[in-house]
Amino acid sequence: MVFHKAPAVPIYNYLLQHKTPKFKLVTYQALVIGITYLSYMSYHAAKRPFSVVKGELNPNCTITAINNTCTAWRPFSNPTETQDLFGLLDCAFLLTYALAMFVSGYIAEHTNLRIYLSLGMFFTGIFTSLFGLGFFLKIHSLYFFFLIQILTGITQSTGWPCVVEAVGLWFPEGKRGLIMGIWNTHISVGNIVGTALAAPFVEYNWGLSFVVPGCLIAGIGILVFLFLVPDPREVNMTNLEDTVYSEEDMLLEKENFKAGSNDHPIGIWKALWIPGVIEYSMCLFFAKLVSYTFLFWLPFYIGSISIQGKVYSKSQAADYATLFDVGGAIGGVVAGALNDLSGRPGLVNFLFLVCAAPCLLLLQIYGSTSLSTFIGYLMMTGFFVNGPYALITTAVSASLGAHPCLHGNTKAMAVVTSIIDATGSLGAAVGPLLAGVISSKTNSWVFVFYMLILADVLAALFLSRQLFCEIKAICGRRNKSQINSNQLVINEN
């Protein structure tokens, strides 16, 4: 497509044209990190409002009913059906998002990432705001809300492949774990920002809970269009740290980029055969199932239970729900750092998943005993649940997209990222749907937690082959080191 060879933003060349290559590299890296951080933070801020307003769309009618009337918003006014409808709306968004993601990565590889990302953000802002329009126009059609969820799911899928490829192209593999772990806090920060923007309006004008985050992502989309440089070659740079090139080398690099270089986007089928893609995709299916169940149901869950004999309001429940994301942000950074130190992503993810299961159980059993206990277990659960989710969707996906079997082809990151995240998003669609059905049919959240624990265990099991290979490599390296030491002793004697 024509977009693929669109020029870089002129202001960058004007401001940095006389700077040293090293200074230019650091400047561009900082700008790419900052802009993509704001970009995906706004994507998650736009995902948050529906989970925040669920309690307002269908408040507890046994408490709010006056003269046998219920203040719930139609078509969510039937208490026996509401949680099922919420689950179906979550599924409509997440399933569409997952299916569109498989295509989105392929499109991203064939277009200019800056334009594709900015358009996706702009339309995400429009459709997010349209959901809130239901309040202002007194819309009570379930089909309207379903349609908006579907359209939002499609536009939301544009974000992740673009931002991961942009960051992956600008940073070398050896430092991606920690950098992307810190960078990936945009997910948790976005959830917190989305809650902070939506919660103040939820009890008197829930329409604004959607319009404000919608305006935020559309505005940042304009910033992306004006300032993002997604590929180093657009500005005569490379993605290596030791960027000290002659004028001839940089001109050659630029000409290769304009001519299309030797990088050719790969298809989905070929990407599936990259070692590790299927295992990490299935692991993320179950890991994201757990994470997104918390994302879409945690405020509702907190508002529906008694913690030390107290039931919290909708806005308070939304505020406490952000603590899960605080723990998740810390977990993502720690997982990324451990990945860089060990070079064993399978082992790091497996350990986090193994620790997440008992945390889920402790949260369910003891969380209601006191507020401090609930907060502690909630943050621990977020730490261990979101650690693997953050690591797999960032550093692992970028590394697999530059696997040695691709022979240096850099045009696979978006496709690989989209496959892994799309498979995970299928799990994200299943989790909230099951949570709504199970909690509604059993009138209890206990079995929802059992489902989440089972999903966590299955996520760990799908990494068994990766774990075995990494442990075998560690043992082989130790044996080789021991043999070399013995040989050195023999030579000295």
Side-chain angles (χ1 to χ4, degrees):
M1 290 188 182
V2 176
F3 286 159
H4 184 66
K5 296 181 180 179
V9 182
I11 190 172
Y12 283 95
N13 290 331
Y14 175 75
L15 294 176
L16 300 174
Q17 60 182 342
H18 299 301
K19 303 298 182 180
T20 65
K22 188 68 176 180
F23 180 86
K24 290 172 65 176
L25 176 63
V26 173
T27 303
Y28 281 121
Q29 287 178 327
L31 288 168
V32 168
I33 282 287
I35 293 171
T36 55
Y37 189 99
L38 289 174
S39 171
Y40 213 71
M41 179 206 73
S42 66
Y43 270 103
H44 261 261
K47 288 180 181 179
R48 194 64 168 177
F50 186 51
S51 66
V52 174
V53 304
K54 281 178 179 176
E56 179 64 21
L57 291 176
N58 181 251
N60 189 338
C61 291
T62 61
I63 297 176
T64 61
I66 301 176
N67 297 328
N68 296 322
T69 62
C70 181
T71 60
W73 187 273
R74 290 182 290 110
F76 310 110
S77 54
N78 187 340
T80 62
E81 298 178 353
T82 301
Q83 288 178 236
D84 291 343
L85 292 179
F86 286 159
L88 288 173
L89 283 172
D90 289 337
C91 186
F93 166 78
L94 292 166
L95 185 60
T96 306
Y97 173 85
L99 295 176
M101 181 69 75
F102 284 106
V103 181
S104 183
Y106 183 81
I107 296 174
E109 294 289 19
H110 290 77
T111 62
N112 181 272
L113 293 184
R114 175 172 59 88
I115 297 176
Y116 184 60
L117 178 60
S118 57
L119 285 175
M121 295 177 69
F122 182 75
F123 283 104
T124 296
I126 290 177
F127 294 132
T128 301
S129 300
L130 282 176
F131 197 106
L133 194 66
F135 174 85
F136 298 103
L137 298 182
K138 309 298 182 185
I139 297 174
H140 299 284
S141 170
L142 185 62
Y143 296 108
F144 170 81
F145 295 111
F146 263 108
L147 177 62
I148 295 301
Q149 288 289 80
I150 290 171
L151 293 174
T152 307
I154 294 172
T155 55
Q156 279 265 357
S157 70
T158 58
W160 195 240
C162 294
V163 296
V164 171
E165 175 156 348
V167 174
L169 288 173
W170 276 102
F171 288 90
E173 184 172 354
K175 297 185 178 181
R176 281 181 190 152
L178 179 58
I179 290 173
M180 283 189 153
I182 297 172
W183 172 76
N184 198 62
T185 59
H186 54 49
I187 292 177
S188 298
V189 172
N191 293 338
I192 295 170
V193 170
T195 301
L197 293 176
F201 311 106
V202 65
E203 295 184 12
Y204 76 94
N205 188 334
W206 61 260
L208 289 176
S209 296
F210 290 89
V211 172
V212 175
C215 292
L216 173 69
I217 188 172
I220 295 178
I222 297 174
L223 181 70
V224 168
F225 178 77
L226 293 176
F227 297 106
L228 180 64
V229 178
D231 195 311
R233 294 169 297 180
E234 292 186 10
V235 286
N236 298 338
M237 305 292 290
T238 75
N239 61 340
L240 300 177
E241 284 288 326
D242 52 343
T243 312
V244 182
Y245 297 107
S246 66
E247 188 74 19
E248 292 78 8
D249 290 335
M250 289 193 292
L251 288 174
L252 180 61
E253 182 74 18
K254 182 70 173 181
E255 290 302 318
N256 287 338
F257 175 70
K258 289 181 177 179
S261 190
N262 294 320
D263 292 347
H264 301 286
I266 67 173
I268 294 176
W269 179 250
K270 185 176 180 180
L272 286 172
W273 288 98
I274 298 174
V277 168
I278 293 178
E279 290 95 328
Y280 279 111
S281 295
M282 293 308 301
C283 174
L284 189 62
F285 177 94
F286 292 103
K288 204 166 181 179
L289 182 154
V290 179
S291 181
Y292 267 61
T293 300
F294 277 94
L295 173 65
F296 281 86
W297 282 104
L298 186 56
F300 187 92
Y301 167 72
I302 296 174
S304 65
I305 64 172
S306 172
I307 301 176
Q308 204 175 2
K310 181 178 180 179
V311 178
Y312 291 91
S313 68
K314 304 174 191 68
S315 58
Q316 288 175 318
D319 290 337
Y320 285 126
T322 61
L323 296 173
F324 177 85
D325 297 302
V326 173
I330 299 171
V333 174
V334 173
L338 291 175
N339 179 66
D340 281 348
L341 290 172
S342 65
R344 310 294 177 189
L347 178 61
V348 173
N349 285 310
F350 184 85
L351 291 176
F352 268 70
L353 291 168
V354 167
C355 293
C359 288
L360 286 163
L361 185 62
L362 290 171
L363 176 63
Q364 188 275 314
I365 296 175
Y366 300 109
S368 61
T369 57
S370 71
L371 181 60
S372 59
T373 302
F374 180 82
I375 290 173
Y377 285 136
L378 183 64
M379 292 185 68
M380 286 175 57
T381 303
F383 180 93
F384 289 112
V385 166
N386 279 0
Y389 166 36
L391 184 58
I392 293 172
T393 54
T394 55
V396 172
S397 296
S399 297
L400 291 175
H403 195 275
C405 71
L406 297 172
H407 306 293
N409 187 350
T410 62
K411 298 300 293 181
M413 284 188 193
V415 174
V416 170
T417 299
S418 66
I419 291 173
I420 293 176
D421 196 54
T423 306
S425 297
L426 290 174
V430 172
L433 176 63
L434 289 177
V437 172
I438 293 172
S439 62
S440 175
K441 301 304 180 185
T442 63
N443 198 29
S444 171
W445 289 92
V446 175
F447 294 101
V448 174
F449 276 91
Y450 291 160
M451 174 197 74
L452 298 178
I453 293 170
L454 176 61
D456 184 80
V457 172
L458 290 173
L461 290 176
F462 271 104
L463 290 182
S464 298
R465 191 182 74 84
Q466 293 290 322
L467 180 66
F468 175 77
C469 292
E470 290 179 6
I471 292 176
K472 185 178 179 180
I474 293 172
C475 294
R477 180 172 296 180
R478 287 180 178 176
N479 292 336
K480 184 177 180 180
S481 177
Q482 184 64 40
I483 290 172
N484 291 337
S485 298
N486 294 337
Q487 185 66 39
L488 180 61
V489 172
I490 293 172
N491 292 338
E492 290 178 351
N493 293 334

